Amino acid sequence: MRIIVLGFGNVAQPFVKILCEREKELSGNFGLKPRVVAVVDRGGAIVSSSGLNFTRILEAKKLGKSVAADTKLGRPRTTGMEIIEEVEADVVVEATPTNIVDGEPGLSFIKAALKKKRNVIATNKGPLAIALPSLMELARYNGVCLRFSGTVGGGTPLLDLGKKCLLGDKIQSIKGILNGTTNYILARMTEARVQMDDALKEAQAAGYAEADPTYDVKGIDSACKLVILANWLMDRRITIKDVNISGITEVTLNEIVKAEEEKAAIKLIASINGGEASVSPRLLPKNHPLCVGGTLNAVTFTTEFAGEITLVGHGAGGVQTAGAVLRDLIDIKRELSL
Ligand code: HSE
């Protein structure tokens, strides 16, 4: 299976490492023989139709160099779009940073790849939040797969559980904590009376926050994830414009202390039922299943037959998300028998 990787940051790097380390297992268990034929980062691309060897490339990245700096195979200034057009591949992994204003460059990359009949695995929430209904349609029209397990819940298989384990059942509503950074901030404010700005700085230092942390604290990241869940699991063709969003920026330390005195906690909750999709801070009793601490995510699906199912897990992290990309790859292999 020939793979193009667009964006080579904290998800794509562990992903290629896993492919190298698990070569035998992937082949033996799944018949999967992945071959990464091109990687693109901000400085350009590196291309090899016989498959890239990552030992040298990862060393160079550690030193802050672009993949394009490779003297033999590097192609400085070559863009993702040029690689999609020129390099033969079965799967494009789109892992460029999230941009919620216009989804670019990821949105154009995904569209171009689908039009060229490449299967796409996205870890980038921006294009999906803006255009998931039309992207799903484009994938269907071109007879290829569009997968994005890593965009919601990090490594926690929220999308897979809802899609694959509830066959025949119907998810009627979804409610949960979809952003680790804000959950961490609210927990730190509660437990140590830390001010919001300081707690955010801690979350940034630990690598949980988005490159633009206003996406976290204003509820935008949660809204992106809610859009993805709603489209994938509830057939609700919504985009981020349809979500009523308020983040945690107005939550005060006083309100948090008061909630605690009432054996409750303020949590940033994303929810969708038959009607409105929303993200807002809400008061939950301390013993509520969604009342999880730290950077955890927790989501309750209410289904027609199974009733309420709550899944709790780590919602962020490079290795965790790389594991989700691998699941998508195996899923595509099974779907298309590539
Ligand atoms: N900033 C995100 C979060 C990262 O805190 O949940 C994972 O999507």
Side-chain angles (χ1 to χ4, degrees), residues 187-263:
R188 290 287 291 150
M189 289 171 80
T190 308
E191 287 154 15
R193 306 286 189 254
V194 172
Q195 291 292 338
M196 188 175 292
D197 285 352
D198 295 329
L200 173 58
K201 278 185 198 133
E202 289 176 17
Q204 284 178 295
Y208 305 134
E210 294 297 297
D212 176 351
T214 61
Y215 288 1
D216 295 293
V217 292
K218 291 192 171 170
I220 295 165
D221 179 70
S222 296
C224 290
K225 292 165 175 167
L226 186 66
V227 165
I228 295 167
L229 285 167
N231 275 278
W232 193 238
L233 301 180
M234 295 174 79
D235 280 331
R236 293 282 303 274
R237 298 290 171 252
I238 61 168
T239 69
I240 193 156
K241 287 197 194 112
D242 303 305
V243 186
N244 225 321
I245 312 171
S246 61
I248 62 163
T249 47
E250 305 296 316
V251 176
T252 65
L253 206 45
N254 272 348
E255 286 168 328
I256 285 183
V257 172
K258 197 161 166 274
E260 233 207 342
E261 283 164 6
E262 292 165 13
K263 296 199 173 8

Side-chain angles (χ1 to χ4, degrees), residues 125 150-154 178-182 207-210 216 221 225 295 297 315-317 321:
K125 293 159 274 191
T151 56
V152 188
L178 299 176
N179 180 270
T181 299
T182 46
Y208 305 134
E210 294 297 297
D216 295 293
D221 179 70
K225 292 165 175 167
T295 56
N297 283 195
T321 309

Side-chain angles (χ1 to χ4, degrees), residues 1-8 12-13 15-16 19 34-41 44-54 57 67-68 73-75 78-95 118:
M1 201 187 251
R2 298 159 302 176
I3 303 168
I4 292 172
V5 175
L6 304 177
F8 203 47
Q13 290 182 39
F15 169 66
V16 299
L19 293 186
R35 182 160 36 110
V36 179
V37 290
V39 174
V40 182
D41 66 13
I46 183 164
V47 182
S48 166
S49 58
S50 57
L52 292 163
N53 178 327
F54 279 98
I57 300 172
V67 293
L73 304 170
R75 294 195 194 173
T78 297
T79 65
M81 206 53 105
E82 287 165 335
I83 292 297
I84 293 168
E85 291 303 326
E86 287 167 24
V87 177
E88 284 300 320
D90 305 293
V91 178
V92 172
V93 175
E94 208 294 307
R118 313 280 191 242

